[in-house]
Amino acid sequence: MNDEMKHVRLRAIEPEDLELMYDLENDESLWDVGSTNVPYSRFFIHEYIKQTTGDIYTDKQLRLMIEVEQQVVGIIDLMSYDPRHNRAEVGVVIQQPFRHRGYATEALQQLTDYALHVLHIHQLYAYISTENEYSLQLFCKAGFRQTAVLKDWLCHGDTYSDVCFMQFF
């Protein structure tokens, strides 16, 4: 493992993360890879930070900041937590200047270990565009396996694209 990767730390959201979250949530280039396509206000994000408990059992999601040497480089999420079926969806985003340095790989490994060994979640999954080669490589490297291709799953204006359904047990 290189020196950069061993410094990745996951931590809970703090009030000072508001501007970064605002920027990432409103980055239209990321809307095609997620399920949202509406801008969020600073007030909305402020209220989210204020109201989130950081407890996946209460919130049905867990958002963690990815830090390297006390600088936030991205966000990683467990979302759509389903306690009955004991599974959760994973999402990760790294800010543009910090991409391709191994931070997402280390963060995903830490989150996977935490989800399996501390939260005892049976299954993690992700929906990744078939065109998003970097994310597909990231999740494969972390031990996720493609179990399905969902046709025309994501809408981009008047066109549709496929996604790989990736699972980790």
Side-chain angles (χ1 to χ4, degrees):
M1 172 163 38
N2 69 37
D3 286 340
E4 287 181 309
M5 289 176 60
K6 69 181 178 183
H7 298 297
V8 170
R9 182 173 81 94
L10 304 183
R11 67 159 175 81
I13 298 171
E14 299 286 351
E16 56 267 18
D17 296 322
L18 186 142
E19 285 304 316
L20 171 68
M21 291 177 65
Y22 176 81
D23 290 343
L24 288 174
E25 292 291 352
N26 291 297
D27 182 347
E28 292 182 33
S29 71
L30 298 174
W31 289 357
D32 282 345
V33 298
S35 60
T36 188
N37 62 353
V38 295
Y40 287 105
S41 68
R42 282 181 179 82
F43 177 77
F44 180 86
I45 295 171
H46 175 271
E47 291 301 300
Y48 169 80
I49 292 171
K50 187 171 130 182
Q51 293 174 10
T52 189
T53 67
D55 177 5
I56 194 168
Y57 305 110
T58 301
D59 298 336
K60 304 296 184 252
Q61 66 178 2
L62 178 64
R63 175 164 279 187
L64 299 169
M65 308 310 286
I66 304 168
E67 271 190 350
V68 176
E69 296 177 0
Q70 300 175 345
Q71 180 173 13
V72 177
V73 300
I75 300 173
I76 193 162
D77 298 310
L78 288 175
M79 56 203 149
S80 305
Y81 173 64
D82 184 333
R84 179 169 183 257
H85 300 291
N86 208 14
R87 64 180 175 235
E89 183 178 356
V90 177
V92 61
V93 63
I94 302 293
Q95 294 184 80
Q96 184 64 42
F98 302 104
R99 292 181 185 162
H100 311 295
R101 297 186 191 181
Y103 300 146
T105 301
E106 178 66 16
L108 185 54
Q109 185 60 56
Q110 287 183 29
L111 182 74
T112 300
D113 289 346
Y114 178 74
L116 296 176
H117 302 295
V118 176
L119 300 175
H120 304 289
I121 294 175
H122 170 69
Q123 176 184 168
L124 299 174
Y125 64 92
Y127 298 95
I128 303 170
S129 169
T130 56
E131 298 166 5
N132 190 340
E133 293 176 29
Y134 290 116
S135 288
L136 290 170
Q137 290 173 9
L138 166 68
F139 279 83
C140 283
K141 186 176 182 179
F144 284 70
R145 297 291 170 248
Q146 177 185 321
T147 56
V149 173
L150 305 172
K151 299 293 185 184
D152 288 350
W153 198 256
L154 298 175
C155 180
H156 316 280
D158 58 353
T159 63
Y160 290 85
S161 66
D162 301 344
V163 299
C164 292
F165 184 66
M166 308 286 291
Q167 292 177 283
F168 184 99
F169 295 93

